[in-house]
Amino acid sequence: MAVELPDLKINIGALRLNNPVMTASGTFGYGKEFASLVNLHRLGAIIVKGISLLPRPGNPPPRLAETACGMLNAIGLENVGLEKFLSDKLPFLLGIDTPLIVNILGDTLEDYQQLAARLDEEEKVAALEVNISCPNVKHGGVAFGTDPDMAYNVTKGVRQHFSRPVIVKLSPNVTDIVMIAGAVEEAGADAVSLINTVLGMAIDIEFCRPKLANIFGGLSGPAIKPIALRMVWQVADAVAIPVIGIGGISTPEDAVEFMLAGASAVQVGTANFINPKATEEIIQGLETYLTEKNMASVQELIGRARRT
Amino acid sequence: MQIYQQKAEILRTEKFTGDIYRFSLKAPDIAAEARPGQFVMVRTGEGMDPLLRRPFSVHQVAEGGLVQILFKIVGRGTQLLSRMQSGKYLDVLGPLGQGFTNGENNQHFLVGGGIGIAPLLFLAKQLLKRNEPSAIKVLLGARTEDEIGILAEDFGSMGLEVLSATEDGSLGQKGLVTDLLVPINETRATVYGCGPYPMLRVVAGICHTKGWGCQVSLETIMACGLAACLGCTVLRSDLKGYVHVCKDGPVFNADEVAWL
C-alpha cells in the first residue's frame, strides 16, 4: 500500500493555503523575478514588495551592509506605487495559481484605507499584509507599529475597507510586542506576521563613517532567528488569531521550529537572496520531516513545543 | 531571459600574482546563455557567514560549458573562495543583468582598470566576430604589473593591440589608464569601461568631451542579483531617482548615471 503523503494545508482565517510557506515582502520582488528559478505554483502564498499609494524612490546608497550571519538594509520602501503595480505587475501574478498577498504601507491612516479599498476590488488579492513599521507623518514621524493605539487605528481602517483576510506585520523594535499584537487583534486583524527587521547599524572603520547612508537599517537573516522565535512564542501565547513566523528562516528545520513555537505558517525572507530555491526546498523538507515523524498533517506542529 | 542556479564543478584554479585568481567552472546552461558584461552570483561557502553571494562578471565562456571568473582577494568572501580546490562544487546563479552592446562605431576601445579588466576578455572575443583586430584596442591600467601582466598577454594573443599604464611604471606607461585615452584622435569611437568608479568617471568625461559612445560596467554591494532586494542602487543622471545595477546594469550608457 502506498504511503500517504502528509497534508501540508493550512488556514489563515478564511485564507486557504496548500502549504504554510510564503515569501516575505521585499525579498521576492513581484514574483516574476524568481519565475525561472522557483515553481511559483508550488508556494503557499506569494507576498509581494510593499506598495504605497504613490511610487517611492527609496533611500540613497549605500543601502546594504553584510553582517555576521545577516545583513542590514535601508532600502527606504522603494516601490512602483499602486497604479503601476496594478497595470504592470498584477497581470503576471494573475497567471500564477498561488494566493497573492499584497503588503501595503503608508504615511497616513488615509493612505492605508485608500490602498485597502482599491485592492479590495482586485479578486486576485487574497489577503493584505499591513506594514505598520513606517513613520506616521501626521503624528510627528512616530511609527504606527510602535504605538498600540495607532496600530489599532490602522488595522481597523484597513479592516473596514477590505473584505478578505487582513494580516498585520509587527515590528520587533518595541518594548512589548505582545501589547501591539493584542491591539491589532482587537481591531479585527485576521492574523499577525512577525518579525519585521531588527533596527541596527554598522560602521566602516576604514572611512570612519556608518556603512549605510541612512545610518540605521533593518537587520535580517539567520542572525535574528532566535529573537523572532522568542517573539512568535510570546505572541502565540497571547492572541487567538493565527501567527505567521518570520525571521531568518532558511531551512526546513527553521520552519519547523517556528511552527512548534506556535506559528501557523512561515515567511522566507533573506534566504531568497542567498538560495532562490529556499522556499521550495523548505516545502519539500517539511513534507519529509512530517513523514519521518509519522505526522499526518502539518497542523500537528503548530504550538507543539508549548504543550510538552 | 533564463536564469540558472547550478552546482558548478571547479575544473581548474589558477593563481596569478597580486592575489588574483581565475576559476574555470563547469556550468553549461550559464555558459550557453551568458553575454559579455553579464555577471554571476557565487556562494563562497556552505555556511551562513559570510551570508551573501558575491557578484563576479563573466570573464570568459569556453567550449565544454565552461564559465570563467577572475577575482582578486578583497575581503572574507573572496578569501574563502580563493582556497577552494578543483573538484569542489560552487553554487552559481546566472547569467544576470544587462551586458555590453556592440557599438555602431568603427573603432572600439576596451578600457579596464585593475580587476575590472575581467569582463573585457569576453567582450573582445565577441567584438572580434564582427570586427577586424585593428578596429579594437585594449587599454589596461593597474597599480603594478602584477595585477595585469597575464591579462595583457591574453589580449595580445588574440592579435589585439594592448596599451598599458601602471602607477609604478612597472608595465607600459607610468600613470593612469585614462592618460592613454586622452591623446587618441578618433572622431567616432565606442569605449567600453570597467574598473573603479573614479576611473570610470574620468573615462565618461573624456568620452563626453570627444563625443564618443561610452558604456561602463558598474560595481556596488549587492544582495540578490535578481532585482528583488533593490539594494544595489546608483543615482540616475537626472538626479531624480535610482537605477539598479543588477537589473538595469551592470553595464550602463555613461549618460544614464550620475557622476558624483
Short mmCIF file of all heavy atoms in Angstrom, two decimals, chain A residues 26-29 33-34 36-37 49 57-61 63-71 75 78 222 250 270 273-277, chain B residues 1-5 43 48-54 91 93 221-224 226-235 240-242 244:
data_model
loop_
_atom_site.label_atom_id
_atom_site.label_comp_id
_atom_site.label_asym_id
_atom_site.label_seq_id
_atom_site.Cartn_x
_atom_site.Cartn_y
_atom_site.Cartn_z
N GLY A 26 9.32 42.13 0.12
CA GLY A 26 10.59 42.84 -0.06
C GLY A 26 11.76 41.92 -0.35
O GLY A 26 12.88 42.40 -0.55
N THR A 27 11.50 40.61 -0.37
CA THR A 27 12.60 39.68 -0.65
C THR A 27 12.32 38.83 -1.88
O THR A 27 13.11 37.95 -2.22
CB THR A 27 12.85 38.72 0.53
OG1 THR A 27 11.71 37.86 0.68
CG2 THR A 27 13.08 39.48 1.82
N PHE A 28 11.20 39.10 -2.54
CA PHE A 28 10.79 38.24 -3.65
C PHE A 28 10.26 39.09 -4.80
O PHE A 28 9.60 38.57 -5.70
CB PHE A 28 9.72 37.25 -3.15
CG PHE A 28 9.66 35.96 -3.90
CD1 PHE A 28 10.70 35.03 -3.81
CD2 PHE A 28 8.55 35.65 -4.70
CE1 PHE A 28 10.63 33.82 -4.50
CE2 PHE A 28 8.49 34.44 -5.38
CZ PHE A 28 9.52 33.52 -5.28
N GLY A 29 10.56 40.38 -4.77
CA GLY A 29 10.10 41.27 -5.82
C GLY A 29 8.59 41.17 -5.98
O GLY A 29 7.84 41.17 -5.00
N GLU A 33 10.47 38.01 -10.81
CA GLU A 33 11.93 38.00 -10.71
C GLU A 33 12.47 36.59 -10.44
O GLU A 33 13.61 36.28 -10.77
CB GLU A 33 12.39 38.94 -9.58
CG GLU A 33 12.17 40.43 -9.87
CD GLU A 33 10.76 40.93 -9.54
OE1 GLU A 33 9.84 40.09 -9.35
OE2 GLU A 33 10.56 42.14 -9.49
N PHE A 34 11.64 35.74 -9.82
CA PHE A 34 12.09 34.39 -9.45
C PHE A 34 11.49 33.31 -10.34
O PHE A 34 11.67 32.12 -10.09
CB PHE A 34 11.74 34.10 -7.97
CG PHE A 34 12.62 34.82 -7.00
CD1 PHE A 34 12.50 36.19 -6.80
CD2 PHE A 34 13.60 34.14 -6.29
CE1 PHE A 34 13.33 36.87 -5.92
CE2 PHE A 34 14.44 34.81 -5.39
CZ PHE A 34 14.29 36.17 -5.21
N SER A 36 12.09 32.02 -13.20
CA SER A 36 12.89 30.98 -13.85
C SER A 36 13.63 30.10 -12.84
O SER A 36 14.30 29.15 -13.22
CB SER A 36 13.87 31.60 -14.86
OG SER A 36 14.73 32.52 -14.23
N LEU A 37 13.50 30.40 -11.57
CA LEU A 37 14.24 29.65 -10.55
C LEU A 37 13.34 28.85 -9.61
O LEU A 37 13.76 27.86 -9.03
CB LEU A 37 15.09 30.62 -9.70
CG LEU A 37 16.19 31.35 -10.48
CD1 LEU A 37 16.66 32.58 -9.72
CD2 LEU A 37 17.36 30.41 -10.73
N LYS A 49 6.45 42.81 -2.82
CA LYS A 49 7.10 44.02 -2.29
C LYS A 49 6.05 45.04 -1.86
O LYS A 49 5.06 45.26 -2.56
CB LYS A 49 7.98 44.59 -3.40
CG LYS A 49 8.60 45.95 -3.14
CD LYS A 49 9.80 45.85 -2.24
CE LYS A 49 10.38 47.24 -1.93
NZ LYS A 49 11.18 47.22 -0.69
N PRO A 57 10.99 56.57 -4.39
CA PRO A 57 12.32 56.31 -4.96
C PRO A 57 13.23 55.53 -4.02
O PRO A 57 14.18 54.90 -4.46
CB PRO A 57 12.88 57.71 -5.21
CG PRO A 57 12.17 58.60 -4.25
CD PRO A 57 10.80 57.98 -4.04
N GLY A 58 12.95 55.57 -2.73
CA GLY A 58 13.80 54.88 -1.75
C GLY A 58 14.95 55.75 -1.29
O GLY A 58 15.08 56.91 -1.67
N ASN A 59 15.80 55.16 -0.46
CA ASN A 59 16.91 55.88 0.16
C ASN A 59 18.12 55.96 -0.76
O ASN A 59 18.30 55.12 -1.63
CB ASN A 59 17.34 55.16 1.44
CG ASN A 59 16.34 55.34 2.57
OD1 ASN A 59 15.66 56.36 2.63
ND2 ASN A 59 16.23 54.35 3.43
N PRO A 60 19.01 56.96 -0.50
CA PRO A 60 20.27 56.99 -1.25
C PRO A 60 21.17 55.81 -0.88
O PRO A 60 21.03 55.24 0.20
CB PRO A 60 20.91 58.32 -0.81
CG PRO A 60 20.20 58.74 0.42
CD PRO A 60 18.86 58.09 0.41
N PRO A 61 22.09 55.43 -1.78
CA PRO A 61 23.02 54.36 -1.47
C PRO A 61 24.18 54.86 -0.59
O PRO A 61 24.40 56.08 -0.56
CB PRO A 61 23.54 53.94 -2.85
CG PRO A 61 23.38 55.14 -3.71
CD PRO A 61 22.24 55.94 -3.14
N ARG A 63 22.78 51.16 0.51
CA ARG A 63 21.58 50.69 1.18
C ARG A 63 21.78 49.35 1.88
O ARG A 63 20.87 48.88 2.56
CB ARG A 63 20.46 50.49 0.15
CG ARG A 63 19.95 51.75 -0.51
CD ARG A 63 18.92 51.37 -1.56
NE ARG A 63 18.25 52.56 -2.09
CZ ARG A 63 17.22 52.49 -2.94
NH1 ARG A 63 16.79 51.32 -3.34
NH2 ARG A 63 16.66 53.60 -3.39
N LEU A 64 22.91 48.73 1.65
CA LEU A 64 23.13 47.38 2.18
C LEU A 64 24.45 47.30 2.93
O LEU A 64 25.41 47.99 2.60
CB LEU A 64 23.23 46.36 1.04
CG LEU A 64 22.05 46.14 0.11
CD1 LEU A 64 22.46 45.19 -1.01
CD2 LEU A 64 20.87 45.56 0.89
N ALA A 65 24.49 46.44 3.93
CA ALA A 65 25.75 46.09 4.58
C ALA A 65 25.61 44.65 5.09
O ALA A 65 24.58 44.28 5.66
CB ALA A 65 26.05 47.03 5.74
N GLU A 66 26.63 43.86 4.82
CA GLU A 66 26.61 42.49 5.32
C GLU A 66 27.12 42.47 6.75
O GLU A 66 28.05 43.20 7.09
CB GLU A 66 27.49 41.61 4.42
CG GLU A 66 27.32 40.13 4.66
CD GLU A 66 28.18 39.30 3.71
OE1 GLU A 66 29.31 39.72 3.41
OE2 GLU A 66 27.71 38.24 3.27
N THR A 67 26.51 41.64 7.60
CA THR A 67 26.96 41.49 8.98
C THR A 67 27.08 40.00 9.27
O THR A 67 26.73 39.18 8.43
CB THR A 67 25.96 42.14 9.96
OG1 THR A 67 24.68 41.51 9.79
CG2 THR A 67 25.81 43.63 9.70
N ALA A 68 27.56 39.65 10.45
CA ALA A 68 27.74 38.24 10.78
C ALA A 68 26.41 37.50 10.68
O ALA A 68 25.45 37.84 11.38
CB ALA A 68 28.32 38.09 12.18
N CYS A 69 26.33 36.52 9.80
CA CYS A 69 25.12 35.72 9.60
C CYS A 69 23.88 36.58 9.33
O CYS A 69 22.76 36.17 9.66
CB CYS A 69 24.84 34.81 10.79
SG CYS A 69 26.18 33.65 11.09
N GLY A 70 24.08 37.73 8.75
CA GLY A 70 22.92 38.57 8.48
C GLY A 70 23.26 39.71 7.55
O GLY A 70 24.37 39.80 7.02
N MET A 71 22.30 40.58 7.33
CA MET A 71 22.53 41.76 6.52
C MET A 71 21.66 42.91 7.02
O MET A 71 20.60 42.69 7.61
CB MET A 71 22.23 41.49 5.05
CG MET A 71 20.81 41.04 4.76
SD MET A 71 20.44 40.87 3.00
CE MET A 71 20.01 42.57 2.59
N ILE A 75 16.49 50.17 2.40
CA ILE A 75 16.01 50.39 1.04
C ILE A 75 15.12 51.64 1.01
O ILE A 75 15.12 52.37 0.03
CB ILE A 75 15.21 49.15 0.54
CG1 ILE A 75 16.03 47.87 0.67
CG2 ILE A 75 14.71 49.35 -0.89
CD1 ILE A 75 17.35 47.86 -0.04
N GLU A 78 11.33 51.62 -1.35
CA GLU A 78 11.23 51.86 -2.80
C GLU A 78 10.18 50.93 -3.40
O GLU A 78 10.21 49.72 -3.19
CB GLU A 78 12.58 51.59 -3.46
CG GLU A 78 12.49 51.64 -4.98
CD GLU A 78 13.82 51.40 -5.69
OE1 GLU A 78 14.87 51.44 -5.04
OE2 GLU A 78 13.79 51.18 -6.91
N PRO A 222 19.75 34.83 9.32
CA PRO A 222 19.84 33.86 10.42
C PRO A 222 20.19 34.51 11.76
O PRO A 222 19.80 33.98 12.81
CB PRO A 222 20.97 32.93 9.97
CG PRO A 222 20.97 33.02 8.48
CD PRO A 222 20.55 34.41 8.14
N SER A 250 15.64 29.82 6.93
CA SER A 250 16.43 29.47 5.76
C SER A 250 16.33 27.99 5.40
O SER A 250 16.68 27.60 4.28
CB SER A 250 17.92 29.78 6.01
OG SER A 250 18.08 31.06 6.56
N THR A 270 15.20 36.80 3.72
CA THR A 270 16.58 36.96 3.26
C THR A 270 17.13 35.70 2.58
O THR A 270 17.96 35.80 1.67
CB THR A 270 17.46 37.38 4.46
OG1 THR A 270 16.94 38.62 4.95
CG2 THR A 270 18.91 37.57 4.08
N PHE A 273 17.51 35.53 -1.12
CA PHE A 273 18.64 36.19 -1.76
C PHE A 273 19.82 35.24 -1.91
O PHE A 273 20.58 35.31 -2.87
CB PHE A 273 19.12 37.40 -0.93
CG PHE A 273 18.10 38.47 -0.71
CD1 PHE A 273 18.21 39.34 0.37
CD2 PHE A 273 17.02 38.62 -1.58
CE1 PHE A 273 17.28 40.34 0.57
CE2 PHE A 273 16.08 39.62 -1.37
CZ PHE A 273 16.21 40.48 -0.29
N ILE A 274 19.99 34.38 -0.92
CA ILE A 274 21.16 33.50 -0.90
C ILE A 274 20.87 32.23 -1.68
O ILE A 274 21.71 31.74 -2.43
CB ILE A 274 21.54 33.18 0.56
CG1 ILE A 274 21.94 34.47 1.25
CG2 ILE A 274 22.67 32.18 0.63
CD1 ILE A 274 21.04 34.88 2.34
N ASN A 275 19.69 31.70 -1.47
CA ASN A 275 19.27 30.48 -2.17
C ASN A 275 17.87 30.71 -2.74
O ASN A 275 16.88 30.51 -2.04
CB ASN A 275 19.27 29.29 -1.20
CG ASN A 275 18.72 28.05 -1.85
OD1 ASN A 275 18.66 27.94 -3.08
ND2 ASN A 275 18.31 27.09 -1.03
N PRO A 276 17.77 31.13 -3.99
CA PRO A 276 16.46 31.45 -4.56
C PRO A 276 15.46 30.30 -4.49
O PRO A 276 14.26 30.52 -4.51
CB PRO A 276 16.78 31.79 -6.02
CG PRO A 276 18.22 32.15 -6.03
CD PRO A 276 18.87 31.35 -4.94
N LYS A 277 15.96 29.08 -4.36
CA LYS A 277 15.06 27.93 -4.28
C LYS A 277 14.69 27.58 -2.84
O LYS A 277 14.10 26.54 -2.57
CB LYS A 277 15.73 26.71 -4.92
CG LYS A 277 16.05 26.86 -6.41
CD LYS A 277 16.49 25.51 -6.98
CE LYS A 277 17.29 25.62 -8.26
NZ LYS A 277 16.65 26.31 -9.37
N MET B 1 14.55 36.45 -20.04
CA MET B 1 15.87 35.81 -20.01
C MET B 1 15.90 34.71 -18.95
O MET B 1 15.43 34.90 -17.84
CB MET B 1 16.95 36.85 -19.71
CG MET B 1 18.35 36.34 -19.91
SD MET B 1 19.57 37.55 -19.34
CE MET B 1 19.24 37.58 -17.58
N GLN B 2 16.46 33.60 -19.32
CA GLN B 2 16.52 32.47 -18.40
C GLN B 2 17.69 32.64 -17.41
O GLN B 2 18.80 32.97 -17.81
CB GLN B 2 16.70 31.19 -19.22
CG GLN B 2 16.64 29.91 -18.43
CD GLN B 2 15.26 29.63 -17.85
OE1 GLN B 2 14.24 30.01 -18.42
NE2 GLN B 2 15.22 29.00 -16.70
N ILE B 3 17.42 32.40 -16.15
CA ILE B 3 18.46 32.44 -15.12
C ILE B 3 18.58 31.04 -14.53
O ILE B 3 17.57 30.38 -14.30
CB ILE B 3 18.09 33.43 -13.99
CG1 ILE B 3 17.94 34.84 -14.55
CG2 ILE B 3 19.13 33.42 -12.88
CD1 ILE B 3 17.25 35.80 -13.60
N TYR B 4 19.79 30.59 -14.31
CA TYR B 4 20.01 29.25 -13.78
C TYR B 4 20.72 29.31 -12.43
O TYR B 4 21.57 30.16 -12.20
CB TYR B 4 20.87 28.42 -14.75
CG TYR B 4 20.25 28.27 -16.11
CD1 TYR B 4 20.59 29.15 -17.13
CD2 TYR B 4 19.34 27.26 -16.38
CE1 TYR B 4 20.02 29.02 -18.39
CE2 TYR B 4 18.77 27.11 -17.63
CZ TYR B 4 19.11 28.00 -18.64
OH TYR B 4 18.56 27.87 -19.88
N GLN B 5 20.35 28.37 -11.55
CA GLN B 5 21.12 28.15 -10.32
C GLN B 5 21.76 26.78 -10.48
O GLN B 5 21.06 25.77 -10.53
CB GLN B 5 20.19 28.20 -9.11
CG GLN B 5 20.93 28.09 -7.77
CD GLN B 5 20.00 28.16 -6.58
OE1 GLN B 5 18.80 28.39 -6.71
NE2 GLN B 5 20.55 27.96 -5.39
N ARG B 43 28.12 31.60 -4.28
CA ARG B 43 28.25 31.38 -2.83
C ARG B 43 29.70 31.00 -2.54
O ARG B 43 30.27 30.16 -3.22
CB ARG B 43 27.33 30.27 -2.36
CG ARG B 43 25.90 30.73 -2.21
CD ARG B 43 25.06 29.72 -1.45
NE ARG B 43 25.25 29.86 -0.01
CZ ARG B 43 24.51 29.22 0.89
NH1 ARG B 43 23.57 28.40 0.50
NH2 ARG B 43 24.72 29.41 2.17
N MET B 48 26.65 30.14 6.88
CA MET B 48 25.84 31.35 6.91
C MET B 48 26.70 32.61 7.08
O MET B 48 26.16 33.70 7.26
CB MET B 48 24.84 31.27 8.07
CG MET B 48 23.80 30.20 7.88
SD MET B 48 22.73 30.59 6.46
CE MET B 48 21.55 29.26 6.58
N ASP B 49 28.01 32.44 7.14
CA ASP B 49 28.88 33.61 7.35
C ASP B 49 30.16 33.42 6.55
O ASP B 49 30.93 32.52 6.87
CB ASP B 49 29.17 33.76 8.85
CG ASP B 49 29.76 35.11 9.18
OD1 ASP B 49 29.53 36.05 8.40
OD2 ASP B 49 30.43 35.23 10.22
N PRO B 50 30.41 34.22 5.54
CA PRO B 50 29.58 35.32 5.06
C PRO B 50 28.26 34.81 4.45
O PRO B 50 28.21 33.74 3.86
CB PRO B 50 30.44 36.00 3.99
CG PRO B 50 31.60 35.11 3.72
CD PRO B 50 31.65 34.07 4.77
N LEU B 51 27.24 35.63 4.60
CA LEU B 51 25.89 35.21 4.23
C LEU B 51 25.61 35.35 2.74
O LEU B 51 25.01 34.47 2.13
CB LEU B 51 24.88 36.05 5.02
CG LEU B 51 23.41 35.68 4.83
CD1 LEU B 51 23.12 34.31 5.44
CD2 LEU B 51 22.50 36.73 5.46
N LEU B 52 26.02 36.46 2.18
CA LEU B 52 25.57 36.80 0.82
C LEU B 52 26.47 36.20 -0.25
O LEU B 52 27.67 35.99 -0.04
CB LEU B 52 25.53 38.32 0.66
CG LEU B 52 24.62 39.06 1.64
CD1 LEU B 52 24.78 40.57 1.46
CD2 LEU B 52 23.17 38.66 1.46
N ARG B 53 25.87 35.97 -1.41
CA ARG B 53 26.65 35.60 -2.59
C ARG B 53 27.53 36.79 -2.98
O ARG B 53 27.25 37.92 -2.61
CB ARG B 53 25.70 35.28 -3.76
CG ARG B 53 24.96 33.99 -3.62
CD ARG B 53 23.89 33.85 -4.68
NE ARG B 53 23.15 32.62 -4.47
CZ ARG B 53 23.45 31.46 -5.07
NH1 ARG B 53 24.43 31.40 -5.96
NH2 ARG B 53 22.77 30.37 -4.80
N ARG B 54 28.53 36.50 -3.79
CA ARG B 54 29.39 37.56 -4.31
C ARG B 54 29.20 37.65 -5.83
O ARG B 54 29.18 36.62 -6.50
CB ARG B 54 30.86 37.26 -3.99
CG ARG B 54 31.17 37.23 -2.50
CD ARG B 54 31.03 38.62 -1.88
NE ARG B 54 31.47 38.66 -0.49
CZ ARG B 54 30.70 38.54 0.58
NH1 ARG B 54 29.40 38.35 0.43
NH2 ARG B 54 31.20 38.62 1.80
N ASP B 91 28.03 26.94 -5.87
CA ASP B 91 26.64 27.29 -6.18
C ASP B 91 26.66 28.61 -6.95
O ASP B 91 27.01 29.65 -6.40
CB ASP B 91 25.87 27.40 -4.87
CG ASP B 91 24.38 27.65 -5.07
OD1 ASP B 91 24.00 28.12 -6.17
OD2 ASP B 91 23.61 27.39 -4.14
N LEU B 93 24.75 31.34 -9.68
CA LEU B 93 23.46 31.84 -10.16
C LEU B 93 23.72 32.80 -11.32
O LEU B 93 24.49 33.74 -11.19
CB LEU B 93 22.79 32.57 -8.99
CG LEU B 93 21.39 33.12 -9.15
CD1 LEU B 93 20.39 31.99 -9.28
CD2 LEU B 93 21.05 33.98 -7.92
N ILE B 221 27.73 47.06 -3.81
CA ILE B 221 27.38 45.95 -2.93
C ILE B 221 26.01 45.45 -3.37
O ILE B 221 25.16 46.23 -3.79
CB ILE B 221 27.40 46.37 -1.44
CG1 ILE B 221 27.06 45.16 -0.57
CG2 ILE B 221 26.49 47.54 -1.18
CD1 ILE B 221 27.31 45.40 0.91
N MET B 222 25.81 44.16 -3.32
CA MET B 222 24.63 43.54 -3.90
C MET B 222 24.21 42.38 -3.00
O MET B 222 25.07 41.68 -2.49
CB MET B 222 25.05 43.01 -5.27
CG MET B 222 23.98 42.91 -6.29
SD MET B 222 24.71 42.40 -7.87
CE MET B 222 24.84 43.96 -8.73
N ALA B 223 22.91 42.19 -2.82
CA ALA B 223 22.49 41.04 -2.00
C ALA B 223 21.98 39.91 -2.88
O ALA B 223 22.41 38.78 -2.73
CB ALA B 223 21.43 41.45 -1.00
N CYS B 224 21.04 40.20 -3.80
CA CYS B 224 20.39 39.09 -4.50
C CYS B 224 20.80 38.95 -5.95
O CYS B 224 20.83 37.85 -6.49
CB CYS B 224 18.87 39.21 -4.40
SG CYS B 224 18.17 40.60 -5.30
N LEU B 226 18.95 39.76 -8.33
CA LEU B 226 17.73 39.41 -9.05
C LEU B 226 16.71 40.54 -9.09
O LEU B 226 15.56 40.33 -9.46
CB LEU B 226 17.07 38.19 -8.37
CG LEU B 226 17.89 36.90 -8.38
CD1 LEU B 226 17.30 35.89 -7.40
CD2 LEU B 226 17.92 36.32 -9.79
N ALA B 227 17.10 41.73 -8.66
CA ALA B 227 16.20 42.87 -8.60
C ALA B 227 15.08 42.66 -7.59
O ALA B 227 13.98 43.19 -7.72
CB ALA B 227 15.61 43.19 -9.97
N ALA B 228 15.36 41.88 -6.56
CA ALA B 228 14.36 41.66 -5.51
C ALA B 228 14.64 42.54 -4.30
O ALA B 228 13.72 43.10 -3.72
CB ALA B 228 14.34 40.19 -5.10
N CYS B 229 15.89 42.67 -3.92
CA CYS B 229 16.19 43.42 -2.69
C CYS B 229 16.25 44.93 -2.95
O CYS B 229 16.05 45.71 -2.03
CB CYS B 229 17.47 42.93 -2.05
SG CYS B 229 19.02 43.42 -2.86
N LEU B 230 16.55 45.33 -4.17
CA LEU B 230 16.64 46.74 -4.55
C LEU B 230 17.73 47.48 -3.77
O LEU B 230 17.65 48.67 -3.51
CB LEU B 230 15.29 47.46 -4.38
CG LEU B 230 14.11 46.82 -5.11
CD1 LEU B 230 12.84 47.62 -4.87
CD2 LEU B 230 14.38 46.69 -6.60
N GLY B 231 18.77 46.74 -3.39
CA GLY B 231 19.84 47.34 -2.60
C GLY B 231 20.94 47.98 -3.41
O GLY B 231 21.64 48.87 -2.92
N CYS B 232 21.11 47.55 -4.67
CA CYS B 232 22.30 47.96 -5.45
C CYS B 232 22.00 49.19 -6.30
O CYS B 232 22.10 49.16 -7.51
CB CYS B 232 22.76 46.81 -6.32
SG CYS B 232 21.50 46.19 -7.46
N THR B 233 21.65 50.28 -5.64
CA THR B 233 21.21 51.46 -6.37
C THR B 233 22.35 52.41 -6.73
O THR B 233 23.31 52.55 -6.00
CB THR B 233 20.22 52.28 -5.54
OG1 THR B 233 20.49 52.02 -4.17
CG2 THR B 233 18.82 51.95 -5.85
N VAL B 234 22.15 53.08 -7.86
CA VAL B 234 23.04 54.14 -8.30
C VAL B 234 22.13 55.30 -8.75
O VAL B 234 21.09 55.07 -9.37
CB VAL B 234 23.92 53.66 -9.48
CG1 VAL B 234 24.68 54.81 -10.10
CG2 VAL B 234 24.89 52.59 -9.01
N LEU B 235 22.56 56.52 -8.44
CA LEU B 235 21.74 57.69 -8.79
C LEU B 235 21.68 57.88 -10.30
O LEU B 235 22.68 57.76 -11.00
CB LEU B 235 22.35 58.93 -8.12
CG LEU B 235 21.49 60.19 -8.05
CD1 LEU B 235 20.21 59.95 -7.26
CD2 LEU B 235 22.30 61.32 -7.41
N LYS B 240 16.93 62.33 -10.18
CA LYS B 240 15.57 62.25 -9.65
C LYS B 240 15.18 60.84 -9.20
O LYS B 240 14.05 60.62 -8.78
CB LYS B 240 14.57 62.73 -10.71
CG LYS B 240 14.58 64.24 -10.86
CD LYS B 240 13.61 64.69 -11.93
CE LYS B 240 13.65 66.21 -12.07
NZ LYS B 240 13.14 66.64 -13.37
N GLY B 241 16.08 59.92 -9.33
CA GLY B 241 15.74 58.56 -8.93
C GLY B 241 16.93 57.66 -9.11
O GLY B 241 18.04 58.14 -9.39
N TYR B 242 16.69 56.37 -8.96
CA TYR B 242 17.80 55.43 -8.96
C TYR B 242 17.63 54.36 -10.04
O TYR B 242 16.52 54.04 -10.44
CB TYR B 242 17.89 54.74 -7.59
CG TYR B 242 18.09 55.71 -6.46
CD1 TYR B 242 17.03 56.09 -5.64
CD2 TYR B 242 19.34 56.26 -6.22
CE1 TYR B 242 17.21 56.99 -4.61
CE2 TYR B 242 19.53 57.16 -5.19
CZ TYR B 242 18.46 57.52 -4.39
OH TYR B 242 18.65 58.42 -3.37
N HIS B 244 19.12 50.31 -10.82
CA HIS B 244 19.64 49.17 -10.06
C HIS B 244 20.70 48.46 -10.88
O HIS B 244 20.45 48.08 -12.02
CB HIS B 244 18.50 48.25 -9.67
CG HIS B 244 17.50 48.93 -8.78
ND1 HIS B 244 16.33 49.45 -9.25
CD2 HIS B 244 17.58 49.25 -7.47
CE1 HIS B 244 15.70 50.04 -8.25
NE2 HIS B 244 16.42 49.93 -7.16
#
